[in-house]
Amino acid sequence: MSAPRPFDASSALVQAPAAPADLLVTGAHVLDPRTGLDGPQDVLVRDGRIAQLGAPGSLEAPAGAEVVDGRGRHLLPAFFDPHVHLRVPGQEHKEDIETGTRAAAAGGYCAVVAMPNTDPVVDSAPVLRSLRDAAARDARVAVGFMPAITRGLQGTELTGMAELRDEGALGFTDDGKPVVSAGMLRKAIQYQRLAGGVIALHEEDPSLSGRGAMHEGAVSAMLGITGIPSISESTMVARDAAIAGYEGGRVHMQHLSCIESVRAIEHAKAEGVRVSAEASPHHLCLTDEAIRGSRDGGSGPLDTNMKMNPPLRAEADRQALIAGLRSGVIDCIATDHAPHARDEKESPFEQAPMGTIGLETAFAAVHTDLVVPGILPLALVVDRLTAGAALLDLPVPRIAADEPANLTLVDLAAEWDVGENGYESRSENCCFAGRRLRGRVLLTVAGGSVAFRERALVAVGA
Ligand SMILES: [Zn+2]
Ligand SMILES: [Zn+2]
């Protein structure tokens, strides 16, 4: 097969038109691990682009520009989430493009990538085209799409990957389901040579996960709930890394949850396999103990907001994910934002759907549980919250002159109770609900426009 066809990355992300920002953020601590900035600066945004940086107090706001007091606050490159569920088309009672991207903006994100396990499944050019049209009308931050690897997520027939790529597909995934057949995945990776685009994998062996509802371990045994063993994930991670290595393909492993998977990725990377991986804030911050209700923050036992796929695992798994994030074995943080309606989550634990929303809490949760106690440096967390863009061959948000303005202003000292003022998401199934978190997003500039502004943020000029 020939080389991948040319792909226009700049048009792969879609966002509704909005007024370009003109603002001066004064004196914020600017932190960007890629440009090396780590100190107080004035940052001037003109017509949606970063026009100038300067010592605090050195820049003047042009006529008509808004002045934002950044003193005592941090200005970061806005985050990129390679894995969210916007539920469009077909499940708009859970989320839609407008509410999902509003949640993203409130969480400090400038771009998100939507998964295809919708109704209908995003597995054809017309469905993808209509979604991109909808995003061009409704998306408050940029949205990219990953259509399915197999038609209807059935695992039996490949989608028209090359045609979908021409229509703007960032990559391909059957997320929500694994590609059970090794032969089918091999074929998809062979077509990837022609179509281009990363293949993202939800790793799970259904013959091992079965009807399990939580991590298989001491807590599931105590609660009498059928477990999902970690080998359900890790055996598939190892298998698919081997297939990618054999075919020279490029794969991305979604939502790693256990120590065995981290080891498998580490091994594959050492062998030179082109594999990347993500971990989610809930797996980095919580364990299966949360299902017992022992975690501080108010959730009782068998809280269905703690039920997700893959499940919250044991403390040793969580520690392995943190170590993997630190070493770079895990490339990025992805929320796997998965909205569900209240009546669905109000079912008994075993029957409730799997998933937690996460866009609005990702930064604060990781900051509270990993940065504040000194486990991970803030600069590393910012790197991992933005690195997903590079994995999809997109430019990573940077704070530098002449870059498009993708910025988030945060107050690291501000504490807030998750859910106290509701959510921007249409759903409220949040695993961090009731927790007091430290670190609040005050302002998000996405694709050059102000996409979110916290109520408390008072503009002092213009
Ligand atoms: Zn998944
Ligand atoms: Zn997912």
Side-chain angles (χ1 to χ4, degrees), residues 176-182 202-212 227-240 255 261 309-311 313:
K177 290 185 173 182
V179 179
V180 174
S181 158
H202 166 121
E203 297 295 32
E204 173 183 359
D205 183 334
S207 73
L208 290 169
S209 54
R211 301 165 72 84
I228 300 171
S230 53
I231 51 169
S232 160
E233 174 181 294
S234 61
T235 55
M236 291 289 277
V237 168
R239 184 199 80 171
D240 292 349
H255 46 48
S261 296
N309 189 14
R313 297 203 185 270

Side-chain angles (χ1 to χ4, degrees), residues 116-462:
N117 59 338
T118 50
D119 184 16
V121 170
V122 187
D123 61 2
S124 71
V127 177
L128 176 57
R129 201 175 307 136
S130 74
L131 273 177
R132 284 169 54 85
D133 289 347
R137 284 191 308 269
D138 301 334
R140 195 170 285 212
V141 307
V143 182
F145 295 92
M146 272 200 201
I149 299 167
T150 67
R151 288 191 199 279
L153 308 178
Q154 293 300 303
T156 50
E157 193 188 344
L158 290 182
T159 56
M161 289 168 59
E163 189 194 6
L164 286 162
R165 186 75 168 157
D166 286 344
E167 205 62 58
L170 272 176
F172 306 91
T173 181
D174 275 4
D175 183 45
K177 290 185 173 182
V179 179
V180 174
S181 158
M184 184 57 56
L185 180 65
R186 181 186 184 189
K187 211 155 95 176
I189 291 173
Q190 289 170 340
Y191 272 95
Q192 183 188 42
R193 286 185 215 145
L194 176 70
V198 75
I199 290 178
L201 297 166
H202 166 121
E203 297 295 32
E204 173 183 359
D205 183 334
S207 73
L208 290 169
S209 54
R211 301 165 72 84
M214 66 176 290
H215 172 59
E216 180 174 286
V219 180
S220 68
M222 201 202 73
L223 293 171
I225 292 175
T226 307
I228 300 171
S230 53
I231 51 169
S232 160
E233 174 181 294
S234 61
T235 55
M236 291 289 277
V237 168
R239 184 199 80 171
D240 292 349
I243 296 170
Y246 185 81
E247 289 292 343
R250 190 170 146 219
V251 294
H252 174 71
M253 306 297 190
Q254 298 175 306
H255 46 48
L256 292 197
S257 70
C258 63
I259 187 169
E260 296 90 343
S261 296
V262 179
R263 285 188 189 138
I265 299 282
E266 188 171 18
H267 176 74
K269 284 189 168 183
E271 298 283 307
V273 178
R274 293 195 296 161
V275 57
S276 55
E278 66 187 37
S280 301
H282 45 273
H283 291 120
L284 291 163
C285 297
L286 301 169
T287 68
D288 57 355
E289 289 289 338
I291 296 166
R292 199 155 62 169
S294 58
R295 179 91 194 186
D296 61 319
S299 77
L302 300 182
D303 180 350
T304 58
N305 288 338
M306 302 296 177
K307 183 180 179 186
M308 55 284 275
N309 189 14
L312 299 176
R313 297 203 185 270
E315 179 62 14
D317 297 302
R318 188 177 82 92
Q319 291 299 335
L321 294 174
I322 294 167
L325 200 65
R326 188 188 288 119
S327 70
V329 166
I330 297 173
D331 300 80
C332 66
I333 297 172
T335 64
D336 194 9
H337 177 82
H340 289 293
R342 183 198 290 237
D343 60 322
E344 298 166 312
K345 275 290 193 182
E346 277 175 353
S347 318
F349 193 86
E350 280 95 334
Q351 279 103 57
M354 292 165 153
T356 175
I357 59 171
L359 284 165
E360 293 167 71
T361 50
F363 174 75
V366 173
H367 178 253
T368 303
D369 284 353
L370 302 181
V371 178
V372 173
I375 297 165
L376 293 177
L378 178 62
L380 184 135
V381 166
V382 171
D383 177 277
R384 304 298 188 261
L385 282 166
T386 49
L391 303 178
L392 299 172
D393 303 323
L394 296 171
V396 178
R398 285 156 53 94
I399 304 182
D402 299 325
E403 291 282 327
N406 290 298
L407 301 164
T408 182
L409 183 70
V410 297
D411 182 344
L412 296 182
E415 298 201 330
W416 57 292
D417 295 323
V418 176
E420 60 183 346
N421 297 318
Y423 300 90
E424 300 291 339
S425 170
R426 181 160 291 147
S427 293
E428 54 191 34
N429 56 304
C430 184
C431 65
F432 297 109
R435 284 269 322 266
R436 172 152 292 191
L437 298 182
R438 198 198 290 190
R440 176 129 229 188
V441 174
L442 301 176
L443 179 80
T444 304
V445 181
S449 304
V450 174
F452 172 77
R453 187 190 296 272
E454 214 265 333
R455 262 167 292 182
L457 185 73
V458 181
V460 294

Side-chain angles (χ1 to χ4, degrees), residues 85-109:
H85 297 268
L86 297 180
R87 303 303 191 205
V88 184
Q91 295 187 307
E92 287 83 356
H93 64 290
K94 300 183 187 206
E95 196 76 288
D96 62 29
I97 290 174
E98 206 269 325
T99 59
T101 56
R102 220 163 63 200
Y109 287 87

Side-chain angles (χ1 to χ4, degrees), residues 42-126:
D42 285 354
V43 176
L44 177 65
V45 174
R46 294 225 68 183
D47 204 26
R49 296 187 80 83
I50 299 173
Q52 209 179 341
L53 285 80
S58 69
L59 299 189
E60 299 244 327
E66 177 188 347
V67 179
V68 175
D69 186 357
R71 288 172 301 171
R73 295 157 172 174
H74 278 66
L75 189 69
L76 312 171
F79 313 139
F80 183 101
D81 194 338
H83 186 162
V84 305
H85 297 268
L86 297 180
R87 303 303 191 205
V88 184
Q91 295 187 307
E92 287 83 356
H93 64 290
K94 300 183 187 206
E95 196 76 288
D96 62 29
I97 290 174
E98 206 269 325
T99 59
T101 56
R102 220 163 63 200
Y109 287 87
C110 63
V112 297
V113 180
M115 299 294 109
N117 59 338
T118 50
D119 184 16
V121 170
V122 187
D123 61 2
S124 71

